[in-house]
Amino acid sequence: MTDLLPTFERVLPGHWWVLGAVLLMLEVAAPGIFFVWLALASFALGLVVFVLPLAVPIQLALFAVLSVVAVFLGKRYVGRLALGGQEGDRLNTGASRLVGRTVTVTAAIQNGTGRVRVGDSEWRATGPDTPEGAQVLIVSAEGTTLAVREISGTWV
Amino acid sequence: MGPLIVIVVLVLLVLITLLAGVKSVPQGYEWTQERFGKYQRSLKPGLNLIIPYIDRIGRRVNMMEQVLDVPSQEVITQDNALITVDGVVFYQVLDSAKASYEVRNLEQATLNLTMTNIRTVMGGMSLDDLLSNRDSINARLLAVVDEATEPWGVKVTRIEVKDIRPPADLVASMGRQMKAEREKRANILDAEGFRQAAILKAEGEKQAEILNAEGRRQAAFLTAEAREREAAAEAEATRMVSEAIASGNAQAINYFIAQRYVDALKDIAVAPNQKTLILPIEATSILGSLQGIAEVAKEAFGGTKR
C-alpha cells in the first residue's frame, strides 16, 4: 500500500496524473483559472516521465517550468478558442455602444459641451456649437462623454 | 536531500509567482492594476497577466448598471408641506480608473448627492406641482446629479422619485377638496337641468296658448263669415220673393198660404189622439184662399190667352 504513495526517491507518472486530476477538481471548486494551468503541467509532466523516467528533483523543476509555459501558452491561445471567441466583447462596453446613433440635443452645445438625449436618458456631449433640438451623430465616446458632430446634408 | 529542499522551495516560489501574476477578471468587472501603488491600467474581463511582486490589483470595479435605493427623507415644500420622499438611482461606471481614484466612496457620494438634490429641487416647488410634475423633477435631478458625477467616470442613467407621501391629514383634506369639487359640479349640472326644463316647459305653454288663440280667432272669423253669408242669402231670398211679388200678383202668396193651411188641416185630422176636431178657422177663409188660387190661375191662363 505504501509503495503506491510518491516519495522523494520515486515519483511515478501516475502520481502526476492523479495530481492533475485533483488540481482540475480544485479549479472547478474554486474558479480562478489558476489551478488549471498547473493541472495541464502535471498531465504533460506525467507524459514526459512515462516516456523517460527522471530524478525527482528534476521532475519538480520541470513541473515549475511547465507551469509557467502552460500559463503563457494559455494566455496566447485561450482568446482564440473557437467556442466563446470574442462573444464577451459586446458586454459592458460602456458608452462606445452608442457610437453611430443619431440623437437630439437637449441642452444647446455651447463652448464645446452640452447634453444630448439618448433613449430615455441624457448624456454629456462635446462637439461643435449646436442649438437645442438639432440632430447630431455620435462619433466616439470617452468615459461618460460623447463626441458628436452635426449631421450635414451633404455627406452622412 | 539539500538540493531537493531547494527544488521544492523553487517550485513553491514558481507557484506563488503564478498565483500573483495570473489574473482572470470575470465579465462585468474591471480590475485596476497598480505598479508600486500607482495606477497603471484597467484589466478587462478575461485572462490577464501582470508582473508579479511589482504590480498588484487595486480595486475591483463593477461595470454593470447598478441600482441605489434612496432612503425616505423628509422634505419641506415651498408652501410649507412636510412630505416624505424616496426614490431610486440607476448608475453605471464607465471609467473604472476615475471611479476608483477620483472619489473615495462612490456609492455613498452618489447617494448623498441625490438626496441633497432631491431636497433642493422639491424645496423650490409647491405641493401641487410636486404631485403632478414628477417627470420634470426626475429630469432636473438627472441633469444635476449626472453632471456632478461626471468627473467620477459614472453615468447616472435614471433617477426616479418613487413615493411622495404628504401627511395623513393633508391627504384627507385633499380628498375632501376633490369630493367638494365634484359635488359642486354635480349641483351645477342639476341646476342647469332644472333651468333648461323650466324654460322648455314655459316655451311649450306659450306655444299652446298662441295656438289656442289662433284657433279661436280663426273660428270667430269663420263664424262671422258664415253669419254674413246666411244673412246675405236670406236677404237675397227675400229680395227674390218681393221681386216675384212685385212683378206678379199679390194673390200668388195666397196660394202658398192656402197650401200650408190645407196641409195643417190634414195633419190635425190624422192625429191619433183626437176625439173631436176643432176648426178655429172659418171655412170661408179657406175658400177665400181657394178663390185666390182660381184668380191666379185665371190670370195665368188669361195671360196666355192674351
Side-chain angles (χ1 to χ4, degrees):
Chain A
M1 189 69 207
T2 48
D3 54 356
L4 281 179
L5 292 173
T7 61
F8 284 123
E9 284 76 41
R10 186 186 61 109
V11 179
L12 297 172
H15 296 142
W16 286 115
W17 290 333
V18 169
L19 177 68
V22 170
L23 285 169
L24 269 185
M25 290 176 203
L26 273 177
E27 172 65 41
V28 174
I33 320 205
F34 170 72
F35 291 115
V36 68
W37 312 121
L38 303 186
L40 285 175
S42 297
F43 289 132
L45 188 60
L47 215 60
V48 169
V49 174
F50 184 73
V51 174
L52 52 140
L54 298 165
V56 176
I58 296 181
Q59 283 189 29
L60 285 175
L62 205 54
F63 175 64
V65 172
L66 278 176
S67 299
V68 176
V69 169
V71 167
F72 278 96
L73 284 180
K75 169 70 183 157
R76 178 159 238 191
Y77 292 109
V78 84
R80 302 190 197 168
L81 280 178
L83 65 138
Q86 299 300 304
E87 263 307 281
D89 287 0
R90 31 179 209 89
L91 293 171
N92 308 103
T93 48
S96 51
R97 69 179 184 276
L98 303 172
V99 170
R101 274 220 220 177
T102 303
V103 291
T104 313
V105 178
T106 51
I109 301 179
Q110 286 173 333
N111 308 326
T113 59
R115 294 181 76 78
V116 295
R117 171 163 289 279
V118 182
D120 66 339
S121 178
E122 286 189 355
W123 289 67
R124 197 180 140 95
T126 59
D129 285 10
T130 321
E132 188 179 329
Q135 300 275 310
V136 290
L137 185 75
I138 300 173
V139 289
S140 69
E142 183 168 342
T144 59
T145 307
L146 305 171
V148 298
R149 72 168 162 79
E150 286 172 280
I151 297 180
S152 50
T154 50
W155 59 287
V156 169
Chain B
M1 202 65 197
L4 197 69
I5 299 277
V6 174
I7 290 289
V8 169
V9 169
L10 199 75
V11 169
L12 275 178
L13 180 73
V14 168
L15 292 189
I16 288 169
T17 305
L18 280 185
L19 189 60
V22 179
K23 297 290 174 191
S24 58
V25 180
Q27 183 69 53
Y29 287 83
E30 275 185 24
W31 293 0
T32 61
Q33 171 202 331
E34 296 168 357
R35 182 160 298 171
F36 296 120
K38 183 179 181 299
Y39 170 77
Q40 193 75 25
R41 64 185 177 126
S42 291
L43 303 180
K44 299 274 181 280
L47 184 63
N48 290 275
L49 298 183
I50 60 176
I51 303 172
Y53 313 117
I54 292 177
D55 297 339
R56 53 175 39 178
I57 299 300
R59 298 228 162 62
R60 296 166 164 81
V61 184
N62 188 339
M63 304 298 282
M64 305 178 228
E65 193 160 328
Q66 295 171 75
V67 186
L68 269 183
D69 249 313
V70 181
S72 288
Q73 54 172 341
E74 297 204 321
V75 179
I76 296 180
T77 61
Q78 200 179 21
D79 46 0
N80 296 328
L82 187 74
I83 53 169
T84 316
V85 183
D86 59 358
V88 282
V89 180
F90 290 80
Y91 72 98
Q92 185 171 20
V93 176
L94 296 181
D95 189 327
S96 50
K98 283 182 174 175
S100 306
Y101 303 110
E102 293 281 359
V103 60
R104 180 149 158 254
N105 188 337
L106 180 64
E107 209 165 285
Q108 199 192 359
T110 310
L111 197 57
N112 275 306
L113 196 62
T114 309
M115 284 175 81
T116 50
N117 272 294
I118 284 178
R119 281 168 184 273
T120 309
V121 170
M122 293 196 167
M125 295 173 92
S126 66
L127 182 62
D128 286 343
D129 289 347
L130 271 192
L131 294 170
S132 54
N133 294 337
R134 293 199 184 199
D135 275 356
S136 72
I137 293 172
N138 291 343
R140 277 169 69 184
L141 282 174
L142 181 63
V144 175
V145 176
D146 189 32
E147 200 66 43
T149 55
E150 198 268 333
W152 307 337
V154 170
K155 169 69 194 149
V156 178
T157 47
R158 225 171 264 111
I159 297 183
E160 303 278 346
V161 172
K162 266 203 305 205
D163 216 358
I164 299 178
R165 277 189 308 276
D169 52 346
L170 206 54
V171 173
S173 36
M174 276 155 88
R176 275 219 319 278
Q177 182 193 342
M178 204 179 90
K179 199 173 146 201
E181 193 75 47
R182 293 192 180 252
E183 267 175 6
K184 175 185 156 193
R185 289 222 298 261
N187 286 338
I188 287 173
L189 281 172
D190 269 352
E192 278 278 333
F194 282 130
R195 175 169 164 261
Q196 292 260 26
I199 287 173
L200 280 173
K201 224 163 117 178
E203 282 273 336
E205 275 169 9
K206 177 183 159 194
Q207 285 276 15
E209 288 278 328
I210 287 171
L211 285 173
N212 250 329
E214 284 266 333
R216 283 210 309 275
R217 175 164 165 265
Q218 288 247 21
F221 264 105
L222 289 171
T223 313
E225 202 173 339
R227 284 212 338 252
E228 207 173 303
R229 293 293 304 275
E230 221 174 324
E234 195 104 6
E236 183 70 16
T238 314
R239 194 177 58 78
M240 280 169 85
V241 170
S242 60
E243 256 181 28
I245 293 168
S247 65
N249 197 320
Q251 292 298 340
I253 301 182
N254 279 344
Y255 160 77
F256 285 111
I257 295 171
Q259 213 180 11
R260 297 274 170 91
Y261 220 109
V262 174
D263 280 346
L265 273 182
K266 190 179 73 180
D267 283 347
I268 293 165
V270 300
N273 61 344
Q274 53 112 49
K275 304 277 190 293
T276 53
L277 179 61
I278 299 161
L279 274 183
I281 323 152
E282 312 122 41
T284 51
S285 58
I286 301 172
L287 290 177
S289 57
L290 287 178
Q291 194 192 341
I293 295 166
E295 276 192 29
V296 170
K298 205 191 288 174
E299 223 173 71
F301 297 133
T304 51
K305 272 179 185 168
R306 252 181 256 153

